[in-house]
Amino acid sequence: MTEPLDLLIIGAGPAGLSAAYAAGQAGLSYLVIEKGTIADTIRLYPVGRTLFSTPNELEMQVGALKPCREKPTREELLSHYIHFVLDHDLNINTDEEVIGVERAAPEGFLVHTNKHDYRAARLLFAIGAMAHPRRLNIPGEDLPKVHHLFVEPYAFVRKDALIVGGGNSAAEAALFLSEEGARTTLAIWREDWENRDPKAGAMKHWVRGPLDQEVAAGRLRVVLYKEIVDITEHAVSLITEDREVLTIPNDVVFVLIGSDADLTLLKQLGVETVPGKLTEVPVYDPETFETNVRGIYVAGHFTHARHIKAAIDIPRKIVPLIAHSLRDVSKTN
Ligand SMILES: Cc1cc2nc3c(=O)[nH]c(=O)nc-3n(C[C@H](O)[C@H](O)[C@H](O)COP(=O)(O)OP(=O)(O)OC[C@H]3O[C@@H](n4cnc5c(N)ncnc54)[C@H](O)[C@@H]3O)c2cc1C
């Protein structure tokens, strides 16, 4: 067991990185534990993807992210986050997963990873919401040709690809595949295809425009479906809006219907959760982001503040409060 830490941060996405920097600034002893790589969620975006957000919503320091165009690519953003870690020598252990957390006596927490045990006075969960990709739960979904993440189209040129989903990720994947010569079908619910209201989760217009062009050019087929029946080695069967059973020849399937956070560790500690707009969220104080369990804080994608801007801004606000609470404790001891 190493020296007790003031703050242990779980996850090195934008929220965890912002928290690490703020902890250093506040003079706290801190460590970030990350099961993957620095900014792993961004690393798993499609290769060459352009972000929806502008640099001021993504950068760790004003003016530090300088993309070639108005919005950065995945590669530019990833490089920005990596250099932020290197330039500030942030304390991050990658390839290490937090697998258990318990309360320690007389106070603080004991954190178990797949490599070590740590003690920390405060914990910040910055674990994102990508742990459990949603599934269709249909026969054939575990075939090797079925993916729940889309990273790049180049292996699928002249192949029959089916994408299931109604959001931006599904639409972007369909676009990437269709533009790079896959025979692409997007299976989407009517309400998602007809939704044009950005506030109600409609596709971004800069995705929708090129998607419509691919459809008009006959390179991309859109099927309005009610249900995907099953996936076999060479086909997918689905029921269309018109109740027709359609069997589509198929080499690869991407099921891109969202993902959910893994709240197991939080729940084991007694943190309460409630149903959110899209998924279950922990209960926390909207000012301090402290949960109902004293000393446990949350930030980022699995809270109500889902975008990168909030994932960066919230830790800047709450880490000084955490530092303050620790100073109060040391004064009373
Ligand atoms: C395809 C796609 C495109 C997107 N585009 C945009 C966009 O253009 N603009 C925007 O603002 N947002 C976008 N988002 C959302 C954005 O990625 C999230 O808002 C952002 O990543 C949130 O940062 P975070 O730090 O909260 O979580 P994450 O970036 O998900 O980081 C959480 C980290 O915690 C780690 N972790 C989880 N559990 C453990 C554990 N037990 N032990 C150790 N480590 C753990 C994970 O490996 C991960 O690295 C997009 C999301 C996707 C999927």
Side-chain angles (χ1 to χ4, degrees), residues 178-206:
S178 156
E179 284 176 346
E180 299 302 337
R183 292 182 292 267
T184 309
T185 303
L186 173 64
I188 183 168
W189 282 332
R190 179 183 288 283
E191 62 259 39
D192 288 333
W193 184 244
E194 290 179 353
N195 182 6
R196 299 289 179 146
D197 178 4
K199 288 198 188 109
M203 285 171 209
K204 303 282 182 195
H205 66 86
W206 57 85

Side-chain angles (χ1 to χ4, degrees), residues 134 147-150 163-167 169-171 173-174 254-258:
R134 290 187 199 137
H147 306 269
H148 294 81
L149 181 75
F150 172 79
I163 300 93
V164 184
S169 292
F254 293 95
V255 179
L256 304 173
I257 53 176

Side-chain angles (χ1 to χ4, degrees), residues 18-332:
S18 172
Y21 181 72
Q25 294 289 300
L28 300 183
S29 62
Y30 75 91
L31 177 66
V32 183
I33 305 283
E34 165 57 54
K35 69 178 173 178
T37 62
I38 295 164
D40 212 30
T41 295
I42 285 106
R43 185 178 66 81
L44 295 172
Y45 285 178
V47 170
R49 171 177 186 266
T50 299
L51 270 284
F52 296 151
S53 317
T54 45
N56 61 312
E57 297 168 316
L58 304 166
E59 63 197 358
M60 288 290 166
Q61 281 168 326
V62 178
L65 176 58
K66 296 189 179 70
C68 289
R69 299 199 177 87
E70 184 204 353
K71 294 175 179 178
T73 60
R74 157 198 183 262
E75 287 72 16
E76 287 171 324
L77 185 62
L78 198 48
S79 177
H80 167 66
Y81 291 149
I82 288 167
H83 284 279
F84 181 73
V85 171
L86 298 175
D87 292 349
H88 298 284
D89 199 18
L90 300 182
N91 305 330
I92 302 178
N93 289 1
T94 53
D95 296 315
E96 184 170 349
E97 182 172 2
V98 174
I99 52 173
V101 184
E102 54 187 300
R103 293 183 210 217
E107 65 153 31
F109 303 93
L110 198 55
V111 176
H112 308 287
T113 75
N114 55 349
K115 297 188 176 165
H116 297 287
D117 293 332
Y118 303 87
R119 271 180 101 92
R122 302 282 184 270
L123 292 185
L124 173 62
F125 280 74
I127 53 175
M130 303 300 291
H132 299 303
R134 290 187 199 137
R135 295 172 57 88
L136 295 167
N137 294 318
I138 56 165
E141 198 169 1
D142 290 323
L143 284 170
K145 72 170 189 179
V146 183
H147 306 269
H148 294 81
L149 181 75
F150 172 79
V151 179
E152 53 103 356
Y154 307 108
F156 309 109
V157 179
R158 291 186 171 151
K159 301 239 161 111
D160 289 301
L162 178 87
I163 300 93
V164 184
N168 288 301
S169 292
E172 280 188 325
L175 198 52
F176 270 114
L177 285 157
S178 156
E179 284 176 346
E180 299 302 337
R183 292 182 292 267
T184 309
T185 303
L186 173 64
I188 183 168
W189 282 332
R190 179 183 288 283
E191 62 259 39
D192 288 333
W193 184 244
E194 290 179 353
N195 182 6
R196 299 289 179 146
D197 178 4
K199 288 198 188 109
M203 285 171 209
K204 303 282 182 195
H205 66 86
W206 57 85
V207 178
R208 183 63 191 241
L211 198 71
D212 285 341
Q213 281 169 23
E214 286 297 291
V215 175
R219 287 189 291 267
L220 173 65
R221 178 184 183 193
V222 172
V223 173
L224 301 182
Y225 81 99
K226 280 243 174 270
E227 192 187 330
I228 312 284
V229 180
D230 65 9
I231 304 170
T232 58
E233 211 179 322
H234 300 294
V236 175
S237 295
L238 50 83
I239 300 175
T240 67
E241 271 264 312
D242 310 323
R243 303 245 158 244
E244 206 187 318
V245 178
L246 207 61
T247 300
I248 305 173
N250 177 261
D251 299 303
V252 63
V253 177
F254 293 95
V255 179
L256 304 173
I257 53 176
S259 62
D260 296 299
D262 185 345
L263 303 178
T264 314
L265 295 175
L266 283 165
K267 286 182 183 174
Q268 280 169 356
L269 283 160
V271 172
E272 289 163 14
T273 63
V274 283
K277 206 157 70 172
L278 297 168
T279 182
E280 191 181 10
V281 280
V283 175
Y284 57 87
D285 179 320
E287 286 303 310
T288 63
F289 283 66
E290 188 172 21
T291 64
N292 59 298
V293 178
R294 209 175 152 257
I296 298 192
Y297 296 77
V298 290
H301 202 176
F302 72 111
T303 67
H304 295 288
R306 295 178 63 80
H307 286 105
I308 293 180
K309 185 174 185 330
I312 294 173
D313 286 348
I314 300 295
R316 287 179 181 155
K317 189 177 117 178
I318 65 171
V319 170
L321 300 177
I322 294 173
H324 193 72
S325 77
L326 286 165
R327 279 195 292 271
D328 283 350
V329 171
S330 64
K331 262 191 240 154
T332 52

